[in-house]
Amino acid sequence: MPAAASERADLVENPAAARFEIIVAAFRARFGRPPVGLAEAPGRVNLIGEHTDYNEGFVLPVAIDRTVAIAFAPREDGRVRAHSLDFDQEDEFALADIGRREDDSWANYLRGVALVLQQAGHRLTGLDLVVQGEVPIGAGLSSSAALEVATLGAFATATGLALDDRDKALLAQRAENEFVGVACGVMDQMAAVFGRADHALRIDCRSLETEAVPLNLEAHGLRIVVANTGVRRALTASAYNQRRDECNRVVELLFVLLRGRRPRSLRDITLRDLTINGRFLPEDLLRRARHVVSENARVLATVDALAHGDLAEVGRLFYASHESLARDYEVSSPELDLMVELAGSLEGVVGARMTGAGFGGCTVNLVHADALDSFGEQVIEAYRARAGLPAEMYVCRAVDGLRIVEF
Ligand code: GLA
């Protein structure tokens, strides 16, 4: 049915409504019936707290206004048929027989979520799905977690499952760990579920307690700017797993050194422990541990500084985090360093640091609204000229996590 004139005017003024209208129309065209609902989950940018989540530490991500949206309707025959608008590809599988596709396809995230939900004891309905995403892929903004969480929302709603929010994040993470085969921590999926408009999310990755931290960006005249270095994260998987192993090894060594303390993870270690026992640790492992322990402290200090409106301190903590990731944790890259350096020399930039796993991907910047144009000209353009790479910037808003619209 064509939209009425008033509805069309609304679509022009409201790009989100226009986007959903396109997804719903694609669903009708593909499946010959309307969807019963739409599940939408955001990507994330991490303000601070990098490589701390798998060490049971603290993180401070923001769910961003780049989301994955899925239109869905149940099927009676236990099959899933999915269409990706971005890749113009189809996938079809039976819930009773889910295997991994060898082509590293977007469809593996759907398959993985359907499988872990069933392994957790839920009987699922079959689904028709249309998927559309606007989270840049491979940029370190968690397009995978957004896809997993949106898929989980679609299955849970169509099947009538009442899942606890923490379980949603943990099941989505399990799909990525066990089915897709990426050993990520829990931050990205937690952000995609628990994100809150205009807030960052302080997550204790040991207890999974979350606290929404007001950003008051408008009041400070600030914007969150994500700068994409244009380098895809190539090395990430192997180096990421290596860092995880190194952290586990250093905890084992400290377990022996700190007789009687029995640390379970780097969360249980203090900088003082490292000062006293550092000479007994291999030098690279000492640096890895120093990053994680100091980064946990920086997350808590950032939450404090935000609460007091102390932007100079927030900026200092951002740069200190970057330095620690570059020198001690060794997950930065020349491109990320250059992007941070260029941002740091621009007036109106409060702070800049690499965000996400590293080796490529994006930096996160807190920028005064009136310096946005100069950021584009003097940071992004200068970076393009010096690195010869197609950098981009995204000005992001903090949004709510998983959202379901039922028609
Ligand atoms: C990736 C992982 C997260 C987290 C970050 C580093 O984004 O998916 O779990 O470990 O790297 O902070």
Side-chain angles (χ1 to χ4, degrees):
M1 234 194 324
S6 60
E7 281 172 27
R8 274 200 300 269
D10 178 52
L11 296 186
V12 175
E13 275 167 27
N14 183 346
R19 173 184 175 215
F20 292 160
E21 196 67 19
I22 289 168
I23 299 171
V24 168
F27 189 101
R28 283 176 182 273
R30 175 71 184 75
F31 298 115
R33 60 183 177 133
V36 303
L38 224 135
E40 188 190 16
R44 66 97 189 92
V45 62
N46 190 19
L47 289 188
I48 197 161
E50 222 63 82
H51 289 275
T52 47
D53 62 349
Y54 53 83
N55 289 301
E56 301 189 309
F58 298 103
V59 292
L60 192 66
V62 167
I64 55 173
D65 54 340
R66 304 288 193 282
T67 67
V68 170
I70 299 183
F72 60 90
R75 296 172 59 87
E76 299 292 324
D77 61 359
R79 297 189 71 76
V80 176
R81 290 190 305 173
H83 177 72
S84 158
L85 284 183
D86 310 296
F87 296 101
D88 192 20
Q89 284 173 2
E90 310 285 326
D91 188 46
E92 180 163 353
F93 59 92
L95 286 171
D97 179 24
I98 300 183
R100 199 173 172 286
R101 286 172 56 133
E102 290 311 320
D103 56 1
D104 278 340
S105 158
W106 54 276
N108 277 334
Y109 297 95
L110 275 56
R111 291 174 173 227
V113 167
L115 186 65
V116 297
L117 277 167
Q118 294 184 98
Q119 285 171 342
H122 304 296
R123 278 177 63 98
L124 298 183
T125 174
L127 280 187
D128 285 335
L129 307 161
V130 166
V131 184
Q132 198 267 331
E134 51 183 26
V135 188
I137 293 175
L141 299 176
S142 296
S143 56
S144 334
L147 178 54
E148 289 150 13
V149 169
T151 304
L152 201 134
F155 273 112
T157 310
T159 308
L161 304 178
L163 289 173
D164 171 58
D165 277 348
R166 271 184 212 179
D167 287 339
K168 287 182 194 158
L170 288 171
L171 286 166
Q173 182 202 15
R174 193 183 307 162
E176 179 135 3
N177 289 167
E178 294 175 12
F179 191 84
V180 179
V182 176
C184 62
V186 76
M187 165 169 68
D188 309 342
Q189 291 79 7
M190 286 291 285
V193 173
F194 286 91
R196 187 131 145 238
D198 305 323
H199 289 70
L201 212 60
R202 170 198 187 276
I203 307 172
D204 176 337
C205 296
R206 169 168 272 176
S207 66
L208 294 189
E209 269 161 17
T210 61
E211 180 197 332
V213 176
L215 286 168
N216 297 323
L217 293 180
E218 281 303 325
H220 294 303
L222 286 183
R223 299 287 180 273
I224 297 173
V225 176
V226 172
N228 191 341
T229 59
V231 180
R232 283 251 193 157
R233 301 168 302 144
L235 267 173
T236 319
S238 58
Y240 187 89
N241 291 338
Q242 194 193 342
R243 292 296 177 278
R244 289 192 72 140
D245 290 345
E246 287 168 344
C247 289
N248 291 337
R249 274 194 7 245
V250 79
V251 173
E252 280 166 21
L253 294 173
L254 285 161
F255 192 92
V256 177
L257 291 167
L258 299 172
R259 255 167 289 158
R261 281 261 305 276
R262 300 178 174 275
R264 197 173 86 186
S265 68
L266 285 175
R267 168 69 175 274
D268 299 320
I269 303 300
T270 63
L271 282 177
R272 186 157 183 275
D273 293 332
L274 296 179
T275 310
I276 294 171
N277 297 284
R279 65 204 152 104
F280 304 117
L281 297 172
E283 195 266 341
D284 55 342
L285 293 192
L286 172 62
R287 284 189 288 115
R288 305 296 185 252
R290 192 165 59 201
H291 165 70
V292 174
V293 174
S294 61
E295 184 79 351
N296 278 333
R298 281 188 288 269
V299 174
L300 302 181
T302 303
V303 171
D304 225 45
L306 283 170
H308 293 100
D310 187 350
L311 298 180
E313 176 66 358
V314 172
R316 194 192 63 75
L317 292 159
F318 267 41
Y319 292 115
S321 167
H322 185 81
E323 194 63 17
S324 173
L325 286 156
R327 306 273 167 270
D328 278 352
Y329 217 63
E330 293 182 283
V331 291
S332 187
S333 67
E335 293 82 12
L336 286 163
D337 293 346
L338 174 61
M339 194 70 97
V340 169
E341 182 199 319
L342 290 168
S345 61
L346 181 72
E347 197 161 333
V349 174
V350 168
R353 54 177 289 278
M354 57 153 274
T355 184
F359 298 102
C362 298
T363 65
V364 59
N365 307 265
L366 286 180
V367 182
H368 281 286
D370 53 16
L372 286 179
D373 287 346
S374 331
F375 195 95
E377 286 152 23
Q378 291 170 46
V379 178
I380 301 294
E381 284 305 330
Y383 173 90
R384 279 190 194 137
R386 277 175 64 179
L389 286 161
E392 281 184 286
M393 69 185 253
Y394 323 111
V395 181
C396 295
R397 274 189 313 113
V399 300
D400 286 335
L402 176 63
R403 222 166 51 96
I404 306 285
V405 183
E406 289 186 76
F407 302 128

